[in-house]
C-alpha cells in the first residue's frame, strides 16, 4: 500500500494535466496558435499516453489586388438602412492644400522645436506693464491673403489658370454647409450641392472653388452663423465692462459688454496640438503694437498679452492655414488692428472650449 499510493497520486496528477480520453469526454474545440502542438507524455511505469500533434494549416498570402478590391466593397448594412458615404474628417493626411504652396509660413513654424510659451514676454527695461509703447506702425500685409481650402490629394489644382472642376467628394463640413445654404442637408455631395458650394466659395475668396466642403469652408460657415447671436449659449460672461470672448470650439472672437456686442465675431486661430491655448478668465496686462516674439522671433503686430506669453495678435498668413498657433490667439491683421484700438489694459479675456483635434 505504501508503494502504490505515490504511484496513484502521480497518475492522478498526470490525468489532470493530460485530460481524459476523447472517447469519454467528447470533443472540445480548442484554438491553438499556428506554432503550438501537443507532444507525447510518458507517465511513470512505461504507460505511454499518445496525444496527436496538432498541425496548423498553412495560410496562403492574399494578393494585394484582392485586398484592395475587398476594402472598396461597402460594409453589410442592416435591412432598411442607407449606406453612408465615405467622408473625410478634415484632420487626416488625405486632405492637403488645394493649391500647392511653396514652403508655407505655418509649415516652417510647425517644424521648429518650440520653447515654453507660458513665459511672459521680454518687457523693455524701465517699462511698466501698464505702459503702452506705441513705436512704429506694424508692417502691413503686402497683398490680399488667400484662403486655401484643404481637399483630397487627387483634387489638388496644379494649374492655377485652369477652371476648377466640380468635386464629387463629400467633405467634413458637408452637412453644415448644406444646412447654411438651405440645401437638402443629407450630408452627401451631389451635382447641385457642388454648384451651390462653388458659388459660395467664389463669393468668399476660397480657393480652389471646387465645391468641396472642406474645413476652411466649414469654418467660414460657423463664423457667419455666429454673427446674429454669438453668445446664444451664454458661455461668455456678461459684465458691465468689456469682455473679449474667445470661443475655442468655433474658433471665433468677439467683444461684448452688458449683453451688447461691441465687436462682431471674427475668425481666429488658437494653439496647435501639444500647445493648446489655456482656458480661463484673464486680464490684458501689457500691450505692444509692433511686438516681436522673444521666444519664436516672429512678428506679433498689435500684441495684447493676457496670460504669460499668450496674446491676441495679428498674423500675415491665412488665418485658416496650419494646425494652429504656439498658444496665442491669432487674428487677421486688420481684425487685430481694430481690436488694438478698442481694448485697454485690464480688459477681461475669457477663453473656453476645445479646438477640434487638440
Amino acid at each position: 500500500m505504501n508503494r502504490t499510493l505515490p504511484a496513484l497520486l502521480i497518475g492522478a496528477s498526470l490525468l489532470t494535466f493530460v485530460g481524459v480520453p476523447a472517447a469519454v469526454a467528447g470533443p472540445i474545440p480548442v484554438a491553438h496558435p499556428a506554432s503550438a502542438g501537443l507532444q507525447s507524455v510518458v507517465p511513470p511505469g512505461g504507460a505511454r499516453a499518445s496525444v496527436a500533434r496538432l498541425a496548423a494549416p498553412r495560410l496562403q498570402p492574399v494578393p494585394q489586388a484582392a485586398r484592395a478590391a475587398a476594402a472598396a466593397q461597402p460594409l453589410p448594412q442592416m435591412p432598411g438602412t442607407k449606406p453612408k458615404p465615405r467622408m473625410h474628417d478634415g484632420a487626416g493626411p488625405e486632405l492637403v492644400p488645394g493649391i500647392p504652396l511653396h514652403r508655407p509660413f505655418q509649415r516652417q513654424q510647425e517644424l521648429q522645436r518650440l520653447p515654453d510659451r507660458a513665459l511672459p514676454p521680454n518687457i523693455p527695461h524701465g517699462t511698466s506693464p501698464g505702459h503702452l509703447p506705441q513705436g512704429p506702425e506694424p508692417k502691413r500685409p503686402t497683398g490680399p491673403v488667400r484662403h486655401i481650402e484643404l481637399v483630397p490629394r487627387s483634387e489638388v489644382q496644379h494649374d492655377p489658370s485652369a477652371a476648377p472642376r466640380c468635386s464629387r467628394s463629400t467633405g467634413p463640413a458637408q452637412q453644415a454647409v448644406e444646412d447654411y445654404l438651405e440645401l437638402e442637408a443629407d450630408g452627401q455631395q451631389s451635382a447641385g450641392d457642388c454648384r451651390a458650394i462653388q458659388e459660395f466659395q467664389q463669393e468668399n475668396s476660397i480657393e480652389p472653388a471646387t465645391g468641396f466642403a472642406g474645413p476652411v469652408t466649414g469654418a467660414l460657415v460657423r463664423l457667419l452663423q455666429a454673427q446674429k447671436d454669438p453668445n446664444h449659449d451664454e458661455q461668455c460672461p456678461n459684465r458691465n465692462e468689456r469682455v473679449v470672448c474667445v470661443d475655442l470650439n468655433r474658433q471665433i472672437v468677439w467683444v461684448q459688454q452688458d449683453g451688447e456686442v461691441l465687436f462682431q465675431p471674427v475668425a481666429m486661430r488658437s494653439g496647435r496640438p501639444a500647445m493648446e491655448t489655456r482656458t480661463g478668465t484673464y486680464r490684458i496686462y501689457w500691450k505692444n503694437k509692433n511686438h516681436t516674439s522673444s521666444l519664436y522671433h516672429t512678428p506679433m503686430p498689435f500684441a495684447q498679452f493676457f496670460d504669460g506669453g499668450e496674446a491676441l495678435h495679428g498674423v500675415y498668413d491665412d488665418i485658416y492655414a496650419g494646425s494652429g498657433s504656439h498658444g496665442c490667439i491669432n487674428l487677421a491683421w486688420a481684425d487685430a488692428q481694430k481690436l488694438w484700438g478698442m481694448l485697454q489694459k485690464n480688459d477681461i479675456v475669457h477663453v473656453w472650449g476645445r479646438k477640434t483635434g487638440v
Side-chain angles (χ1 to χ4, degrees):
M1 186 61 154
N2 293 336
R3 295 180 179 178
T4 58
L5 182 57
L8 289 174
L9 292 175
I10 294 173
S13 62
L14 286 172
L15 284 174
T16 303
F17 177 76
V18 176
V20 295
V24 178
I28 301 176
V30 180
H32 294 282
S35 61
L38 295 180
Q39 305 292 336
S40 297
V41 179
V42 182
R48 185 178 182 85
S50 178
V51 181
R53 183 181 183 88
L54 299 179
R58 295 177 60 86
L59 298 178
Q60 299 297 324
V62 180
Q64 179 69 26
R67 285 200 300 268
Q73 296 298 320
L75 296 175
Q77 302 289 324
M78 293 293 292
T81 61
K82 190 175 183 180
K84 292 185 178 181
R86 298 190 175 205
M87 298 179 65
H88 299 282
D89 61 7
E94 69 274 12
L95 294 187
V96 297
I99 296 177
L101 301 176
H102 300 289
R103 297 184 63 81
F105 174 78
Q106 269 289 312
R107 180 58 179 160
Q108 295 180 39
Q109 297 299 303
E110 291 169 6
L111 293 176
Q112 294 180 357
R113 294 179 61 86
L114 303 173
D116 185 6
R117 84 286 187 197
L119 300 173
N122 289 336
I123 299 176
H125 181 69
T127 302
S128 67
H131 182 63
L132 309 181
Q134 297 301 311
E137 282 290 316
K139 181 182 177 181
R140 289 182 172 274
T142 56
V145 177
R146 304 169 69 187
H147 301 315
I148 307 299
E149 182 60 277
L150 301 181
V151 302
R153 192 175 297 275
S154 60
E155 298 181 7
V156 173
Q157 185 176 345
H158 295 281
D159 183 5
S161 63
R165 298 176 58 183
C166 209
S167 172
R168 298 182 179 181
S169 302
T170 296
Q174 184 75 35
Q175 191 163 2
V177 177
E178 290 171 343
D179 183 63
Y180 178 77
L181 297 179
E182 299 182 350
L183 305 171
E184 181 184 0
D186 58 1
Q188 300 183 46
Q189 180 76 307
S190 68
D193 292 341
C194 184
R195 288 191 294 270
I197 297 173
Q198 269 189 315
E199 183 177 348
F200 175 80
Q201 291 171 333
Q202 291 167 349
E203 291 174 352
N204 291 279
S205 303
I206 297 176
E207 306 175 59
T210 63
F212 179 75
V216 175
T217 304
L220 183 57
V221 164
R222 287 196 303 271
L223 174 63
L224 294 174
Q225 289 174 327
Q227 297 293 325
K228 184 177 180 181
D229 186 9
N231 203 30
H232 174 76
D233 295 334
E234 299 184 352
Q235 294 290 329
C236 194
N238 279 319
R239 301 189 182 181
N240 60 356
E241 54 184 322
R242 280 187 298 269
V243 179
V244 183
C245 303
V246 181
D247 186 346
L248 301 182
N249 298 318
R250 293 180 290 176
Q251 294 287 289
I252 58 175
V253 171
W254 72 92
V255 180
Q256 64 185 31
Q257 182 176 359
D258 286 330
E260 180 185 356
V261 176
L262 305 179
F263 182 83
Q264 286 294 324
V266 296
M268 63 89 163
R269 181 174 60 207
S270 64
R272 69 186 63 155
M275 302 199 77
E276 301 91 339
T277 302
R278 293 181 290 271
T279 57
T281 302
Y282 312 93
R283 288 187 181 272
I284 295 174
Y285 70 89
W286 193 59
K287 299 176 59 161
N288 190 348
K289 180 181 272 189
N290 199 10
H291 187 72
T292 298
S293 172
S294 55
L295 291 176
Y296 312 115
H297 311 292
T298 53
M300 297 172 59
F302 307 109
Q304 305 188 72
F305 290 88
F306 58 87
D307 179 28
E310 293 185 353
L312 301 153
H313 69 84
V315 293
Y316 290 94
D317 63 322
D318 182 10
I319 199 67
Y320 299 116
S323 60
S325 71
H326 298 146
C328 286
I329 302 301
N330 292 170
L331 299 163
W333 193 94
D335 294 334
Q337 182 186 39
K338 293 175 184 176
L339 270 183
W340 171 269
M342 172 179 288
L343 301 178
Q344 298 178 6
K345 178 179 175 289
N346 288 327
D347 280 345
I348 296 173
V349 178
H350 181 68
V351 185
W352 77 95
R354 187 176 181 86
K355 180 180 181 179
T356 301
V358 172

